[in-house]
Amino acid sequence: MGRSQPNGFGDAVRRNRMAAGLTQEELAERTGLSVRAICDIERGRTAHPRRSSVELLARTLRLAGTCDDQHAAAAGQHTEAAWGIIPRQLPAGVRHFVGRTAELATLTRLLGELEDAGGAVAISVVGGTAGVGKTALAVRWAHLIADRFPDGQLYVNLRGYDLGQPMTAGDALAGFLRALGVPGQDIAPETDQRAAQYRTMLAGRRMLVVLDNAREGDQVRPLLPGTSGCAAVVTSRDSLASLVAWHDARRLDLDLLPAQDALDLLRALIGERVDAEPDAAATLAAQCSRLPLALRVAAELAVIRPVTPLAHLAGELADQQRRLDLLESGDDSRTGVRAVFSWSYRHLHADTARAFRLLGLHPGPDVDHYAAAALTGATAREGRRLLDLLARAHLVQPTGPSRYTMHDLLRSYASQLAAGQEAPEQRRAALTRLFDHYLQVAATAMDALFPAERQHRPRVLPSGVPAPPVDGDRGAARDWLDLERANLISMARHTVAHGWPGHTVRLASTLFRYLDVGGYYPEAVIIHTCARSAAGQTGDRAAEAEALTSLGLVDIWQDRYRRATRHLQQALAMCRQAGDRIGQARALHYLGLVHAKQGRYQQAAGHLRQALALYRETGDQAGEARTLSNLGLVDARQGRYREATDCTRQALILCRQTGDRTFEARSLANLGDVYRRQGRYQQATGCHVQALALHRETGDRLGEAHTLVDLGYARLQQGRFQPATAHYGQALALFQRIGDRSGLAESLNGLGEVLLATGQPGLARVRHAAALDLASQIGDKYQQARAHDGLACGYHATGEHGLACRHWHAALALYTDLAAPEAEQVRARLATGATGSHPGQ
């Protein structure tokens, strides 16, 4: 269209460079980039800079948190990955899309007008009655103009008119952020914060956002992009007047299909019979109120009765319409839709009709044939057959391989039928079978993924309904949990609100480790909060304490230490009142982690030792092993290497006895870390190589990343700079994907030390400065100290002794506060000014 690309990143670089008083030449010297490269980025000539360039500029200029409204597109730890991710979330368009040529052209014209105006996000609102084809139009248009948005397309069904709770803006934002490459650990807890993250990720990109089935403006507003270059299309039955008034949205009201288009759709669906009986086809189209949804359902009845004249079918529909008119008032289009639905429903076989009714009770967004079998009490093969029949009748729509969803009008109709034709105990029995099914498969999947923790999860009895083959298959187990995650969240919300509190509690306890290691922290907050509420309903103090403990761990991983401490202390008090020693041990263990994360090693060790005693009293060997391993890390940080070695070896023995391969690998890595700190590099390397193989075998990416860091350090100490750089680089990439900011800081410090050892102090300082930013954000005192030490050595190497002393004093204060042995090394550097070796030696 002749316009330059939006340049959010380049603008951020230019503003912050000028604010720092730097010329392009000075910035080039500090980052190691060429002046030409910086100039091209600032002017927008380089639309997508290399990840390494983005990282160097963002860290050097400290873009994170300095740009207005948090809109530094390159800021923070996500930027490097974000520019390379192109989400393609548009669903497939409907088959036999007919007409709407003028409406499609209008949407394209509105987009062009808004883009030409400049400075505003192009927002179009497609309105109209239920079943008129708003979603079909929006998705069709989005596919047609997708090439104008090369950075991707986002889509969400906000479920604004479903019977259950509409999707919140916060939940939708979490999904978008995940699609844009933000790890779950770093998705902000509050909706406003998520909206700021989202706008940051979209700044400088050309993306299309489709917000389908919105209920009100407040549900939509946080999901709108913040800068020009992006566009949003919203569908809703509501007028969404606030978007028009406050965001300059352009509204397109979708009317019923014109008569000829309605006939064309019937012809595409039915075939030549429409031309053979034009009057009857026109009557049929009118009876369907010329609504695409109703026309598709009615057409399927004609297809399955190929020898029945269309006139006869129109007569049947007219009779059904008259029957409905006796039961309900009103002559709007929905009455015509209900007539078509009821007519179609009457032609279903009894078991298919019952399946349709019961599917209306499902609280989640979609189903597979196993869930359909659970609802109906049928076999898996029968569940597949029933869904296929309903899909053929256009009463459910496919969303992916063997997965189906319902239009909200059809869901509402099915739910009303269930309320009228299924006794309350039958409805409850159907949902209980469904929830039992989800619990059973979730438990089986967790046993496949985390077998050593089986005894710590609640016992789930066989549901007696068919289940997918996930037993012992780690890949299938993880795939099932990933596919059903949204349904499991819906289950938690529904069961706590409608009288299945025990299911809520067991689901949260079962999914704990999956949500934890997968980084699904927004989902974990929802499920564990539901479990806390459910436990409160039944007075189950132990379950409430467990939910608080789980919420506390989520807070730890998201660096909310004060709130984590509050949750864990509440849980600890409850467990002590109830005499729950395992619960006490868990709460104490995680309180130890909170203190360790903040460098309070004495308090951390005290809590961990209390947890260890309780685990031993109760015979919980898995908990004992993990606590011993964490105690070993705390001891190692304080230079207590003999104690650290003893703890870690005991943990390793217990892991092998219990078959916990995941923590066996972590214990091996921790033992290697203790050896490395003592200068026993050969032994350290042997442990790390074994640990790395085990991490990769078990799929433990976090453990793999930490072990790569340790290997990098060992190779560095041996003077093997190339493999050290490779190990640190691999660890950095893994930590970025996982979202572990402490690990990112550790990797960056390691890379800085390699650069300094190879005579590149300028680039070394860039890495250490980036590490210092991250470590300061999360309160990691150890990595802050290490970064200050590295910066000091870097400045000393280039003769900037005043800056070097300033950073060494900062490092010394932190190391002394931590009671870390590195304090003596820094004190010696300050005394002698010697930098003959790299930091950490």
Side-chain angles (χ1 to χ4, degrees):
M1 299 175 64
R3 289 185 292 273
S4 62
Q5 294 285 329
N7 190 29
F9 178 49
D11 288 343
V13 170
R14 179 180 53 79
R15 286 198 305 271
N16 284 270
R17 175 181 60 77
M18 294 177 69
L22 297 174
T23 65
Q24 289 182 340
E25 288 76 14
E26 289 169 330
L27 181 58
E29 182 180 352
R30 293 194 180 196
T31 59
L33 299 175
S34 69
V35 175
R36 172 74 175 274
I38 293 171
C39 181
D40 286 347
I41 288 170
E42 288 190 353
R43 294 187 179 184
R45 293 182 189 139
T46 304
H48 301 290
R50 293 180 179 177
R51 291 183 181 182
S52 57
S53 301
V54 171
E55 177 190 334
L56 289 168
L57 289 166
R59 305 304 185 191
T60 304
L61 294 172
R62 299 194 176 194
L63 293 176
T66 62
C67 297
D68 295 340
D69 197 25
Q70 302 181 34
H71 278 81
Q77 62 273 24
H78 310 307
T79 308
E80 299 89 331
W83 282 86
I85 291 175
I86 302 179
R88 305 287 190 191
Q89 292 190 323
L90 293 178
V94 298
R95 292 179 64 246
H96 303 303
F97 185 92
V98 169
R100 304 299 194 195
T101 304
E103 289 86 349
L104 290 168
T106 298
L107 284 172
T108 302
R109 176 176 55 78
L110 291 176
L111 174 65
E113 289 175 358
L114 288 165
E115 286 184 330
D116 289 336
V121 179
I123 305 169
S124 300
V125 176
V126 178
T129 190
V132 79
K134 300 182 294 297
T135 297
L137 176 73
V139 171
R140 174 78 168 185
W141 178 74
H143 280 292
L144 289 173
I145 53 89
D147 60 348
R148 292 172 62 171
F149 297 93
D151 294 317
Q153 304 87 41
L154 296 170
Y155 171 88
V156 65
N157 179 0
L158 294 170
R159 304 181 69 188
Y161 293 89
D162 273 10
L163 292 174
Q165 184 181 18
M167 180 178 287
T168 66
D171 287 351
L173 284 165
F176 280 173
L177 288 168
R178 218 182 276 287
L180 290 165
V182 180
Q185 176 170 346
D186 293 327
I187 294 175
E190 304 299 332
T191 298
D192 288 348
Q193 296 170 326
R194 290 179 186 179
Q197 283 182 294
Y198 168 66
R199 293 192 300 269
T200 295
M201 300 300 291
L202 263 57
R205 305 177 82 175
R206 290 190 58 80
M207 296 195 70
L208 178 65
V209 181
V210 180
L211 307 173
D212 194 17
N213 201 15
R215 189 175 187 90
E216 57 187 8
D218 287 345
Q219 191 186 19
V220 170
R221 198 168 291 109
L223 305 174
L224 297 175
T227 56
S228 60
C230 295
V233 59
V234 187
T235 73
S236 179
R237 299 180 203 171
D238 188 83
S239 64
L240 301 182
S242 62
L243 295 186
V244 177
W246 295 101
H247 296 275
D248 197 27
R250 305 300 170 86
R251 184 169 176 83
L252 172 63
D253 288 313
L254 205 57
D255 202 351
L256 307 178
L257 278 175
Q260 187 57 52
D261 287 348
L263 285 173
D264 289 344
L265 180 55
L266 286 178
R267 183 179 296 106
L269 296 167
I270 298 172
E272 298 176 353
R273 293 159 67 193
V274 170
D275 294 323
E277 297 182 75
D279 293 340
T283 300
L284 194 60
Q287 289 170 324
C288 294
S289 301
R290 305 201 309 275
L291 290 169
L293 177 62
L295 287 164
R296 290 177 182 278
V297 174
E300 182 56 31
L301 277 176
V303 169
I304 65 174
R305 299 167 68 184
V307 298
T308 304
L310 293 185
H312 183 75
L313 295 175
E316 285 185 7
L317 183 50
D319 289 341
Q320 184 65 22
Q321 180 67 63
R322 281 190 290 273
R323 279 193 288 272
L324 277 179
D325 287 343
L326 296 175
L327 298 175
E328 52 186 66
S329 59
D331 57 356
D332 64 2
S333 59
R334 290 197 203 178
T335 306
V337 172
R338 280 183 54 79
V340 175
F341 291 171
S342 59
W343 181 48
S344 177
Y345 172 76
R346 286 176 57 230
H347 285 84
L348 295 175
H349 190 274
D351 61 346
T352 313
R354 178 171 174 268
F356 176 71
R357 294 194 299 270
L358 294 179
L359 284 170
L361 303 177
H362 193 288
D366 60 4
V367 297
D368 65 2
H369 63 284
Y370 291 105
L375 272 170
T376 58
T379 65
R381 177 178 292 183
E382 187 67 9
R384 187 188 298 275
R385 185 186 71 85
L386 292 169
L387 284 174
D388 286 344
L389 289 172
L390 290 171
R392 226 175 287 165
H394 292 278
L395 296 176
V396 298
Q397 296 84 42
T399 60
S402 300
R403 302 192 73 82
Y404 298 86
T405 191
M406 264 186 171
H407 189 283
D408 54 13
L409 277 181
L410 284 161
R411 187 188 295 271
S412 175
Y413 177 60
S415 178
Q416 290 170 15
L417 288 172
Q421 299 183 36
E422 302 285 334
E425 59 271 18
Q426 291 174 322
R427 299 198 300 273
R428 184 170 181 85
L431 282 173
T432 300
R433 285 193 302 270
L434 177 71
F435 300 147
D436 286 348
H437 161 72
Y438 283 137
L439 262 180
Q440 179 196 343
V441 184
T444 305
M446 292 298 293
D447 287 348
L449 290 171
F450 307 102
E453 296 184 68
R454 182 176 302 163
Q455 69 273 23
H456 300 297
R457 289 187 286 271
R459 185 163 174 257
V460 177
L461 297 174
S463 64
V465 298
V470 300
D471 189 10
D473 186 333
R474 293 177 59 88
R478 191 171 298 282
D479 288 346
W480 186 88
L481 288 165
D482 291 344
L483 279 171
E484 299 292 351
R485 192 164 59 244
N487 282 325
L488 296 173
I489 293 169
S490 296
M491 172 183 163
R493 284 174 162 155
H494 191 91
T495 51
V496 71
H498 296 95
W500 285 270
H503 284 76
T504 318
V505 167
R506 289 196 296 276
L507 181 70
S509 185
T510 298
L511 293 177
F512 164 76
R513 188 62 67 189
Y514 164 74
L515 297 170
D516 176 46
V517 302
Y520 300 116
Y521 299 121
E523 295 87 344
V525 169
I526 293 169
I527 289 178
H528 295 313
T529 301
C530 287
R532 182 184 180 186
S533 177
Q537 292 174 18
T538 59
D540 187 342
R541 301 283 280 176
E544 186 175 357
E546 182 178 359
L548 282 166
T549 301
S550 299
L551 287 168
L553 186 61
V554 174
D555 290 331
I556 291 172
W557 298 145
Q558 295 199 298
D559 312 312
R560 300 192 296 266
Y561 301 134
R562 185 175 299 175
R563 190 157 80 171
T565 301
R566 186 170 64 249
H567 278 143
L568 293 168
Q569 286 175 341
Q570 283 181 266
L572 182 60
M574 286 182 178
C575 290
R576 282 173 172 163
Q577 276 186 334
D580 179 0
R581 291 187 296 168
I582 286 290
Q584 291 177 57
R586 287 184 73 225
L588 286 164
H589 189 167
Y590 296 150
L591 279 168
L593 287 182
V594 174
H595 288 299
K597 284 278 188 178
Q598 298 173 91
R600 300 170 183 163
Y601 295 132
Q602 286 188 338
Q603 296 96 318
H607 283 99
L608 288 169
R609 289 192 184 101
Q610 291 179 64
L612 181 63
L614 286 166
Y615 280 133
R616 283 174 170 166
E617 287 174 18
T618 55
D620 185 342
Q621 290 187 311
E624 181 183 352
R626 294 180 180 205
T627 309
L628 280 166
S629 192
N630 283 325
L631 264 173
L633 286 176
V634 170
D635 284 333
R637 284 284 175 94
Q638 297 176 94
R640 297 160 52 89
Y641 299 130
R642 186 177 65 184
E643 293 88 343
T645 301
D646 289 343
C647 283
T648 310
R649 283 176 172 167
Q650 290 177 57
L652 188 58
I653 291 168
L654 285 170
C655 288
R656 287 170 174 163
Q657 287 176 354
T658 58
D660 188 346
R661 303 279 281 173
T662 299
F663 227 77
E664 178 186 349
R666 292 193 178 190
S667 298
L668 271 169
N670 290 347
L671 183 60
D673 180 62
V674 177
Y675 287 146
R676 187 263 303 168
R677 288 173 180 273
Q678 298 174 83
R680 297 160 67 179
Y681 301 122
Q682 284 296 115
Q683 290 169 285
T685 300
C687 287
H688 292 319
V689 168
Q690 291 180 65
L692 191 62
L694 270 177
H695 286 316
R696 288 170 173 166
E697 177 189 317
T698 59
D700 183 356
R701 293 190 303 164
L702 184 60
E704 179 182 352
H706 280 294
T707 303
L708 283 165
V709 164
D710 290 333
L711 268 173
Y713 198 98
R715 300 302 191 198
L716 171 61
Q717 298 292 330
Q718 294 168 313
R720 300 181 61 188
F721 302 128
Q722 189 170 348
T725 301
H727 289 318
Y728 279 131
Q730 292 170 43
L732 187 72
L734 276 172
F735 282 129
Q736 285 171 341
R737 287 202 292 274
I738 296 165
D740 186 320
R741 287 182 285 182
S742 178
L744 281 171
E746 189 174 14
S747 303
L748 288 164
N749 272 327
L751 286 167
E753 291 163 5
V754 175
L755 289 165
L756 185 64
T758 54
Q760 303 175 75
L763 288 177
R765 292 200 305 265
V766 172
R767 296 292 185 176
H768 287 302
L772 182 59
D773 281 346
L774 278 171
S776 299
Q777 289 170 25
I778 62 176
D780 187 333
K781 290 184 179 179
Y782 186 85
Q783 294 304 328
Q784 287 178 56
R786 189 175 168 193
H788 278 300
D789 191 9
L791 284 165
C793 289
Y795 281 120
H796 195 277
T798 55
E800 298 172 79
H801 304 301
L803 286 171
C805 285
R806 187 186 309 169
H807 282 289
W808 269 326
H809 279 295
L812 179 60
L814 286 163
Y815 278 139
T816 301
D817 186 50
L818 294 169
E822 288 89 345
E824 289 305 315
Q825 298 166 6
V826 175
R827 192 174 283 113
R829 289 193 181 99
L830 276 168
T832 65
T835 56
S837 60
H838 62 77
Q841 282 191 326

